[in-house]
Amino acid sequence: MITFSRFIKQDPTMHYRTDYHVHTTFSDGKAAPEDYVSAASGAGLSELGFSEHLSLFGRDQYWVMDPAETGKYLEYIDNLRKTTEKLIIRTGLEVDYVEGKDKEIRDFLDGIELDYRIGAVHYLGEKTVDEGPDFYEGKNIDRLFRSYFSMVMRAVSSEIFDIIAHCDLIRIFGYRPVSSPEPLYRELARTMKRHDVVFEINTNGRNRPVGEFYPDPQFLKVFAEEGVAVCVNSDAHMPSRVGQYFDEAYQLLKSHGFREMATFSRRRRKMMPL
């Protein structure tokens, strides 16, 4: 088993930093995996994890990795791990959750070795919620929020995934429900706690029209109160965004009472102090 001390001499004044949500040219990222390594070191990371987009059901092939390329991807990252010093390299996937396809997704993922599995909900029906504001025009936003959170909770309840990505991606274009969404966040947090699934602070929300982290910072208190484990990820699609806004994210978590973050190795979770 790889130990952290083998690679990292940690400054006692700094906390352990990981970024497990990074995309490269294997899916819709803008650079090769090795180009992210120096950026990660510059951002003070202890671990860098790759998590290419993957959909098993033929959707949007231009932004997801072809499942047939999974073996090539795993081999590539494994070789990068062997040649990288002073930084631990982790391997993951960001897999689209599709309702009713739990068995197919689980069977595929059970056949490969990963450090962690990230589950994501991009689709409501046949359309994605994040490709353009046209999706929202003429729709009841309260109903969309309820539908989206319901789908995320199904992904959590499947117990296929270790981490859930951008759990309120439905906010991406700044649309907000009329009624308070706090009960939705509370139900989601309780579901994540019950099924022992980690949520991420996804800092890439700051680069989107909503201009805020995912999940909505005002509801971080809900996740803290329910005792849900957390990690901080950049969802970087280019090296310059690895570790972006992490100091702000860590401070935000501490201000809401979080004292630990989740790290992963071969799907075993270890909590590290913030």
Side-chain angles (χ1 to χ4, degrees), residues 211-234:
E212 295 179 332
F213 296 159
Y214 309 111
D216 189 332
Q218 70 175 309
F219 296 117
L220 280 177
K221 64 179 182 180
V222 173
F223 293 89
E225 289 167 357
E226 299 298 336
V228 187
V230 67
C231 60
V232 178
N233 290 329
S234 69

Side-chain angles (χ1 to χ4, degrees), residues 159-177:
E159 297 189 345
I160 296 171
F161 308 109
D162 304 300
I163 304 168
I164 294 296
H166 38 63
C167 67
D168 57 356
L169 184 64
I170 194 73
R171 296 170 51 242
I172 187 169
F173 294 106
Y175 290 92
R176 296 181 183 276

Side-chain angles (χ1 to χ4, degrees), residues 130-172:
D130 60 335
E131 289 206 61
D134 291 352
F135 174 81
Y136 298 82
E137 292 181 4
K139 293 186 174 71
N140 183 303
I141 302 302
D142 288 66
R143 187 175 297 123
L144 283 180
F145 266 66
R146 289 194 298 270
S147 296
Y148 186 82
F149 274 75
S150 178
M151 189 64 72
V152 175
M153 284 185 274
R154 289 189 188 109
V156 172
S157 300
S158 73
E159 297 189 345
I160 296 171
F161 308 109
D162 304 300
I163 304 168
I164 294 296
H166 38 63
C167 67
D168 57 356
L169 184 64
I170 194 73
R171 296 170 51 242
I172 187 169

